[in-house]
Amino acid sequence: MTSAEPLVYYPAYCFHLSPTINKWCPLRAIDIHGLEHRPGFEADNVFFSLNHPIRWVRIVGVVVAIDEYYGRRIYTVDDSTGECIECSLEIPKQTDSGRQNDVDNETTTATAAATPNAQSKIDVGMVIEVKGSTKIFRDQKQIKVQKLQRIRATSQEVEFWNKIRDFRNDVVSRPWVLEKKEVRRCKKQYMADVDAEEKKRKKRKGNGYDVDVRHPIRQSSTKSEDTRNKPTKQEPLTKARARDSYAHGGYDALGL
């Protein structure tokens, strides 16, 4: 692909071939604000650098502000690139009786890895590393925190900046290109998955099961495969798995 050719944005059923979709992409805050949001991917919080689909990001910077809200904490991080980025961390909500109900327990599980403990409480002026998904809140990009930790050595910062440089040079500095035969193969598999889901839906409906037509759920052939493909409580899938195949095992691939 030459620089004069327009970018090709591949369908979601090709995303599993992308070098970025299931990777913690080391970016600068200014890079995250520059990511493009395209129609059709709003529910998935997928953004694009050139035509690379990006969902998971990581940054390192100084905490310049902390704001507390009901159910969430906002860390404003400055990485000296001319832009700050807000990082939103969900925190458990206490019930009126002072104990967690089932929903709160799920929230606690989802945020336990990100919530700093009493011994390493994050405060203004500390350097931190944030990993999470990118989202838009009030027309501004934020990071929904999945993991947060303090950086205590300058060497760690330097190492991260080297990762940013390598990622830019090796991956996002050039468009993502697929051969036409690869796209056709992905589409063929996608259509086969859709047909299989439709047959299962009709079969279940004929047997008297209550089926949500809008969100069919793929039934795996083995118990172990079903467990592996089940979405985590941290980030439930919002669309049919046949369409969102790139999100399968996302947390496993990311090391969470």
Side-chain angles (χ1 to χ4, degrees):
M1 177 180 290
T2 65
S3 58
E5 295 178 349
L7 291 174
V8 177
Y9 291 90
Y10 299 104
Y13 52 70
C14 295
F15 281 4
H16 65 282
L17 300 177
S18 164
T20 57
I21 191 65
N22 279 332
K23 176 182 177 64
W24 290 121
C25 299
L27 297 173
R28 305 172 300 172
I30 194 171
D31 298 328
I32 296 175
H33 285 296
L35 295 176
E36 182 183 1
H37 204 189
R38 295 185 62 81
F41 300 95
E42 294 87 353
D44 302 315
N45 289 328
V46 174
F47 297 81
F48 293 86
S49 176
L50 292 181
N51 66 337
H52 292 279
I54 292 177
R55 188 181 188 189
W56 309 102
V57 299
R58 58 187 296 199
I59 66 164
V60 168
V62 180
V63 179
V64 295
I66 300 176
D67 297 294
E68 298 281 351
Y69 300 95
Y70 180 71
R72 62 191 176 100
R73 181 181 298 127
I74 303 296
Y75 298 90
T76 302
V77 177
D78 184 356
D79 64 353
S80 302
T81 60
E83 295 275 1
C84 294
I85 187 79
E86 291 185 346
C87 305
S88 176
L89 174 65
E90 294 183 3
I91 56 178
K93 306 180 184 68
Q94 292 289 338
T95 61
D96 294 338
S97 62
R99 60 185 179 85
Q100 300 292 333
N101 57 24
D102 293 339
V103 175
D104 293 326
N105 288 334
E106 291 185 2
T107 304
T108 302
T109 301
T111 60
T115 306
N117 55 41
Q119 289 74 29
S120 60
K121 184 178 180 181
I122 303 301
D123 203 351
V124 172
M126 293 181 180
V127 179
I128 62 172
E129 177 183 12
V130 179
K131 294 181 178 181
S133 58
T134 308
K135 66 175 185 176
I136 291 181
F137 180 72
R138 294 179 178 175
D139 297 327
Q140 294 293 325
K141 291 189 179 70
Q142 285 186 343
I143 297 177
K144 182 179 179 181
V145 177
Q146 298 295 335
K147 187 174 182 179
L148 184 151
Q149 64 182 359
R150 184 178 178 185
I151 300 296
R152 298 180 180 273
T154 304
S155 60
Q156 292 176 281
E157 292 185 70
V158 174
E159 180 182 358
F160 182 77
W161 284 103
N162 290 336
K163 290 181 179 180
I164 292 178
R165 179 200 60 203
D166 294 341
F167 182 71
R168 288 171 60 86
N169 293 339
D170 299 339
V171 182
V172 294
S173 62
R174 59 182 66 89
W176 173 38
V177 179
L178 290 177
E179 297 290 340
K180 291 183 178 180
K181 62 180 180 180
E182 293 179 307
V183 177
R184 289 196 297 267
R185 177 173 56 81
C186 291
K187 183 177 181 179
K188 183 179 180 180
Q189 182 61 50
Y190 165 69
M191 296 304 297
D193 290 344
V194 171
D195 290 341
E197 294 291 350
E198 181 66 15
K199 290 179 181 178
K200 290 179 181 179
R201 185 189 66 81
K202 291 181 178 179
K203 183 177 180 180
R204 289 176 58 86
K205 188 174 182 180
N207 292 336
Y209 289 96
D210 184 16
V211 178
D212 187 345
V213 177
R214 298 168 300 171
H215 301 282
I217 299 177
R218 176 181 299 170
Q219 301 293 328
S220 59
S221 58
T222 65
K223 182 178 180 181
S224 60
E225 185 176 333
D226 180 71
T227 303
R228 183 174 64 254
N229 289 339
K230 185 178 295 183
T232 65
K233 294 178 181 178
Q234 289 178 306
E235 192 74 15
L237 300 181
T238 57
K239 295 185 180 180
R241 293 185 182 220
R243 182 180 183 277
D244 291 336
S245 60
Y246 66 89
H248 287 176
Y251 283 94
D252 293 336
L254 295 168
L256 287 179

